[in-house]
Amino acid sequence: METIEADVVIVGGGPAGCSCALYSSRADLKTVILDKNPAVGALAITHQIANYPGVPTDISGEDLLNLMRDQCIQYGTDYRRAQVFGVDVNGDWKTVYTPEGTFKGRALVLASGAMGRPASFKGEAEFLGRGVSYCATCDGAFYKGREVAVVGVNKEAIEEAQVLTKFASIVHWITSSDPKQEDVHAQTLINEPNVRHWSRTRLLQIEGADAGVTGITVKNRIQEDKQLLPVEGVFVYMAGSKPITDFLGDQIALKEDGGVVVDDFMSTTSEGVWAIGDIRNTPFKQAVVAASDGCIAAMAIDRFLNSRKSIRVDWVHS
Ligand SMILES: Cc1cc2nc3c(=O)[nH]c(=O)nc-3n(C[C@H](O)[C@H](O)[C@H](O)COP(=O)(O)OP(=O)(O)OC[C@H]3O[C@@H](n4cnc5c(N)ncnc54)[C@H](O)[C@@H]3O)c2cc1C
């Protein structure tokens, strides 16, 4: 099987991986991206992305990702479809194993993203992008003056519901248990004038039509009857999104929440290995944040491989 050597080997071709490759290729570093499948990452499945600076607000995540991929390929990145199943980070050359061949890099970048939980509510998968969302920061503004529901009782659900109170006419907060009395953020949320809290209530089904979500059916634990709430947006925050790190074994330090530990330069605890984007389990999972991580890592790699004391900026042209 073929063995390919490169300066930089990047695992994952999402916004983090593509932005890193753009910068490293432009810095004249031989760069390979190994991407399992360009259609399954978080950006690829985003129906509409209205908050990526400088691109039309009605662009789909897939189209934006295609632009990013084409741009780094244009500057010399070798993009390959390959699923990484193992790495060896010992020594100066990092080895990456795929069924298509073995890749050796002087720098290894981990950019495989995070895996969302599989859609489990009736209607959730069907209406994803047509009313079902996992990101109020991304999609909240689409629901100005409309009724929405937030499902979940964790910290993320509370923060995102708070974001939605700025836009929606009513935020129905559905929690299967009672939030803790001492949770100040939960109590603040409940006291917002446009929040209706449905405690000890389960989401049974997301209802909709061709144009998207029209409501949700919920049931309180002690009441007999189900109820239909006329919402146009449903924001689901159940536990389950996990950084994709299974191919690392125990070679790289992870945080308690499963994200890879990095420093300010996106460098992991293993010299010569960087981690960028959702694999870090960043508190703000956004395409622009992932792209920024990629830029930082690439500039740090350039310095590392060329033993520069200072970072060489990309925008100085002779
Ligand atoms: C439904 C949804 C809507 C969103 N909406 C927005 C929005 O409107 N605005 C916004 O800014 N952000 C949005 N986000 C968040 C944003 O998409 C992510 O923060 C961003 O895509 C993370 O980039 P990434 O490169 O780290 O990971 P990803 O985009 O997930 O890319 C990871 C890549 O790695 C590949 N990969 C995984 N495992 C392997 C492996 N073993 N070997 C090789 N390749 C592998 C995958 O195939 C994928 O191509 C949304 C996310 C979701 C899920």
Side-chain angles (χ1 to χ4, degrees), residues 56-251:
T57 53
D58 58 354
I59 195 167
S60 71
E62 191 183 3
D63 286 346
L64 177 59
L65 187 57
N66 288 343
L67 289 174
M68 292 179 179
R69 192 184 317 112
D70 288 349
Q71 193 180 4
C72 63
I73 291 172
Q74 190 188 329
Y75 281 104
T77 300
D78 179 2
Y79 173 90
R80 295 177 183 232
R81 283 277 300 262
Q83 174 156 9
V84 173
F85 61 79
V87 298
D88 180 356
V89 301
N90 292 309
D92 289 344
W93 285 89
K94 315 299 172 192
T95 311
V96 179
Y97 301 99
T98 80
E100 280 70 33
T102 301
F103 295 80
K104 287 182 174 289
R106 296 200 292 147
L108 169 63
V109 181
L110 310 171
S112 45
M115 192 167 24
R117 63 175 244 296
S120 56
F121 294 112
K122 269 194 192 158
E124 185 181 346
E126 190 182 346
F127 294 108
L128 180 61
R130 293 190 296 142
V132 173
S133 171
Y134 306 118
C135 178
T137 315
C138 311
D139 298 334
F142 297 134
Y143 296 94
K144 213 170 178 132
R146 297 170 180 197
E147 291 191 35
V148 299
V150 172
V151 185
V153 75
N154 55 30
K155 191 168 160 249
E156 195 184 4
I158 294 168
E159 283 174 3
E160 294 278 273
Q162 194 61 254
V163 170
L164 286 164
T165 60
K166 289 191 284 177
F167 304 103
S169 57
I170 299 178
V171 177
H172 296 274
W173 186 26
I174 319 294
T175 64
S176 56
S177 56
D178 287 327
K180 293 194 182 100
Q181 278 301 324
E182 64 275 20
D183 186 334
V184 185
H185 300 292
Q187 300 310 325
T188 308
L189 178 66
I190 290 167
N191 289 326
E192 293 286 352
N194 59 344
V195 170
R196 308 272 179 284
H197 182 210
W198 302 78
S199 191
R200 300 180 179 208
T201 300
R202 276 191 312 128
L203 170 62
L204 297 181
Q205 181 159 358
I206 297 166
E207 321 277 352
D210 284 351
V213 168
T214 53
I216 54 170
T217 307
V218 296
K219 186 177 174 311
N220 182 278
R221 229 191 277 169
I222 41 177
Q223 284 165 8
E224 275 290 298
D225 294 336
K226 299 173 190 170
Q227 234 168 319
L228 180 68
L229 306 180
V231 300
E232 292 177 63
V234 188
F235 293 79
V236 183
Y237 299 100
M238 310 301 286
S241 173
K242 256 180 52 211
I244 300 170
T245 53
D246 52 331
F247 58 91
L248 295 175
D250 54 5
Q251 299 179 75

Side-chain angles (χ1 to χ4, degrees), residues 10-18 34-52 65 79 82-85 98 111-114 116 128-129 132-135 137-139 142 244 246-247 276-279 282 284-291:
I10 301 173
V11 181
C18 286
L34 303 170
D35 193 24
K36 177 174 75 176
N37 184 344
V40 301
L43 183 58
I45 64 162
T46 301
H47 287 252
Q48 184 186 351
I49 174 155
N51 56 6
Y52 195 86
L65 187 57
Y79 173 90
Q83 174 156 9
V84 173
F85 61 79
T98 80
S112 45
L128 180 61
V132 173
S133 171
Y134 306 118
C135 178
T137 315
C138 311
D139 298 334
F142 297 134
I244 300 170
D246 52 331
F247 58 91
I276 53 178
D278 284 5
I279 194 174
T282 49
F284 306 113
K285 293 194 186 65
Q286 293 288 285
V288 70
V289 174

